Amino acid sequence: MEIIKAKDIGFCFGVRRAIKRAENAIAHLPANDLYMLGEIIHNPQVIREFKIKGINIIKEISQVPSNKYLITRAHGIVKREEDYAKRNNIRLIDTICPYVKKLHQIANFLQREGYQIIILGDINHPEIRSLLSYIDHRAYIIQSINDIKCQSFEFSKKIGLLSQTTKDLKELYKIIKIMFNYTDELRVFNTICKATRLRQQATRDLAKIVDLMIVIGGLNSANTQRLVHLSKAVGVETYHIEDEKQLNINYFRNKRKIGITSGTSTPDYVTEKIVKKIRELNHNY
Ligand code: F3S
């Protein structure tokens, strides 16, 4: 059995940066004074490690006492949380990814210039919730091209089109094409980040030449879910797992080439453990 890893795999720049900032805070401040609102990134192993180091992981900003520190999410916090922190003298350790920040800046620009904003994204994803909160929720969110076809939006003559950083570029192209039927002016910003695009392409390429794909990453990680979707769309048998305990020996029966890829929030050591386990399983049958 041959195991082939995707050309582009694992941590992206934004995730590395966020983790480094959080670790830097742990190195210089008492862990007890540090709070993390939800998940800094969507990966269970990373969150577990921060818990072990003593960081308080909380669900609501009201759980952070005054004069303590709040480590934000790589996907950004919502405006209400930022305002609460200011009012209560909670100091923010900002880990928002610069590409997500750029998405905020473009949306603000479009709003100032009077464009109706349409965003390809998932309404429940923290990145989109954060973005919407800074533009007074004045945007249409679409999950795919079908949302445009099926819903009765009232489109304006000036539209600005953006995307969540982890969406599929091909889906964005399809939407651009159809949007010209609805408006006179369309401004499009490609806000899908490069790390996402590279991992998506590498996954497609690999899925075409293997008998089975294992996609590694948090089950709640949007970019990992997207890799699973792309791999399945190629037509290859695909499994999404978070750790080696979720591997099943039956996945590998009669398979010669195994493809491995992982989301941008998956640490390399998690991938390596899984590769090691697959090798062991291979020896056992
Ligand atoms: Fe940032 Fe792209 Fe990673 S938006 S967090 S570099 S997936």
Side-chain angles (χ1 to χ4, degrees):
M1 190 167 73
E2 188 184 358
I3 298 172
I4 310 172
K5 279 202 239 165
K7 195 162 138 265
D8 292 286
I9 190 167
F11 274 0
C12 60
F13 153 78
V15 164
R16 270 186 218 288
R17 183 177 171 275
I19 292 178
K20 203 166 161 200
R21 289 199 165 191
E23 279 175 349
N24 200 30
I26 296 172
H28 293 98
L29 296 163
N32 240 354
D33 287 355
L34 293 171
Y35 288 76
M36 199 175 264
L37 190 53
E39 300 187 342
I40 183 171
I41 59 164
H42 287 147
N43 183 267
Q45 290 92 344
V46 172
I47 301 304
R48 206 176 305 134
E49 278 170 33
F50 280 127
K51 270 189 197 158
I52 291 168
K53 285 174 183 166
I55 287 196
N56 304 288
I57 314 260
I58 43 139
K59 286 204 173 115
E60 257 300 318
I61 191 155
S62 55
Q63 294 171 267
V64 187
S66 297
N67 300 316
K68 301 291 182 193
Y69 297 86
L70 178 71
I71 299 170
T72 67
R73 291 177 288 258
H75 295 299
I77 57 175
V78 297
K79 186 160 187 315
R80 172 185 65 80
E81 291 162 344
E82 188 180 329
D83 294 343
Y84 182 95
K86 270 188 201 145
R87 279 199 311 276
N88 291 279
N89 203 25
I90 294 164
R91 280 161 279 185
L92 295 181
I93 296 168
D94 189 7
T95 68
I96 189 169
C97 173
Y99 298 123
V100 178
K101 191 87 196 160
K102 192 171 155 212
L103 182 61
H104 284 218
Q105 287 161 350
I106 294 171
N108 274 314
F109 162 77
L110 288 170
Q111 197 166 52
R112 277 197 314 275
E113 295 293 313
Y115 285 84
Q116 181 184 46
I117 301 172
I118 298 192
I119 304 168
L120 170 63
D122 302 319
I123 196 146
N124 292 319
H125 192 277
E127 180 181 315
I128 296 300
R129 287 211 306 266
S130 169
L131 175 61
L132 286 175
S133 74
Y134 285 93
I135 54 171
D136 300 323
H137 295 265
R138 280 194 272 141
Y140 283 136
I141 307 297
I142 50 171
Q143 300 251 18
S144 69
I145 195 163
N146 293 334
D147 285 352
I148 297 181
K149 289 181 186 160
C150 302
Q151 296 195 31
S152 49
F153 291 130
E154 276 193 31
F155 290 115
S156 95
K157 289 188 171 162
K158 281 172 73 175
I159 290 179
L161 178 62
L162 304 172
S163 170
Q164 187 176 326
T165 55
T166 47
K167 281 287 179 184
D168 181 7
L169 189 59
K170 288 195 174 160
E171 190 70 28
L172 183 62
Y173 284 149
K174 283 189 217 159
I175 291 164
I176 294 168
K177 228 169 146 188
I178 201 170
M179 282 308 301
F180 279 110
N181 297 321
Y182 296 99
T183 187
D184 297 342
E185 184 185 342
L186 180 65
R187 286 197 75 168
V188 183
F189 291 83
N190 181 2
T191 47
I192 299 173
C193 93
K194 193 175 168 201
T196 301
R197 275 183 270 152
L198 289 176
R199 278 152 190 73
Q200 289 176 356
Q201 194 51 50
T203 298
R204 278 194 190 97
D205 293 345
L206 185 57
K208 284 177 193 158
I209 60 161
V210 296
D211 307 311
L212 171 77
M213 281 289 283
I214 302 288
V215 184
I216 306 162
L219 295 177
N220 59 346
S221 155
N223 79 83
T224 312
Q225 287 167 1
R226 175 98 4 229
L227 299 182
V228 174
H229 175 81
L230 293 175
S231 177
K232 284 184 178 169
V234 169
V236 70
E237 194 175 327
T238 303
Y239 295 100
H240 181 179
I241 59 168
E242 286 184 337
D243 61 39
E244 72 282 3
K245 293 192 272 307
Q246 292 164 352
L247 284 172
N248 183 329
I249 195 161
N250 293 322
Y251 296 168
F252 305 98
R253 294 207 191 279
N254 306 319
K255 303 288 190 317
R256 283 181 31 250
K257 284 188 179 175
I258 313 298
I260 303 282
T261 190
S262 70
T264 54
S265 45
T266 309
D268 286 348
Y269 77 86
V270 174
T271 304
E272 289 315 316
K273 266 188 178 174
I274 288 171
V275 169
K276 192 168 165 247
K277 182 75 184 175
I278 294 173
R279 291 214 167 94
E280 282 168 20
L281 290 174
N282 187 36
H283 281 300
N284 292 338
Y285 52 72

